[in-house]
Amino acid sequence: MSRYAWVTVGWLVIAPMAAFADRAADVAALEAKCEQEREAKIAPLRAAQIAKCKSEGHEPNYCESFWRDYGNPVRTANGAMTPRLFSDLPACIASFKARREFELNGH
């Protein structure tokens, strides 16, 4: 096989992998943006819950540990899940759609 043929075969193999990696990086960036925006909205609510807990006479470490995952999905007693807070932000909707498209089609 000639050198030109090997180069062509190499590009046929490498180019789709590079595009796949770029798309994966784009999806990860959208997800990071979503989490950043969610955290900005949740942080004041979490701080208020921690302050309320401390004002009720609980240990500060307990309050911070108990409320550290405020806003995340939680399993209820009957096995259902409560949705995470602020997953309806535009960045989160975009990241969800991008992740679903990436997983279904690989692009």
Side-chain angles (χ1 to χ4, degrees):
M1 195 180 256
S2 72
R3 184 175 187 180
Y4 176 74
W6 281 111
V7 170
T8 303
V9 170
W11 276 111
L12 290 174
V13 171
I14 293 172
M17 290 180 6
F20 183 83
D22 287 345
R23 185 65 181 140
D26 291 344
V27 171
L30 283 172
E31 290 173 338
K33 182 178 180 186
C34 168
E35 290 305 315
Q36 184 180 22
E37 289 183 16
R38 279 187 69 240
E39 183 59 29
K41 293 228 180 228
I42 292 172
L45 300 174
R46 182 183 304 119
Q49 291 294 340
I50 291 171
K52 179 181 172 188
C53 178
K54 290 176 182 178
S55 71
E56 293 172 348
H58 296 287
E59 290 288 322
N61 289 339
Y62 166 78
C63 294
E64 291 169 9
S65 175
F66 185 82
W67 291 104
R68 77 174 174 259
D69 60 353
Y70 180 77
N72 292 338
V74 177
R75 187 166 303 280
T76 61
N78 67 357
M81 294 291 288
T82 61
R84 66 186 196 159
L85 291 179
F86 302 112
S87 60
D88 59 345
L89 293 171
C92 296
I93 293 170
S95 72
F96 174 76
K97 287 179 180 178
R99 172 60 64 185
R100 185 177 58 195
E101 178 71 22
F102 180 73
E103 289 177 353
L104 291 176
N105 300 325
H107 52 69

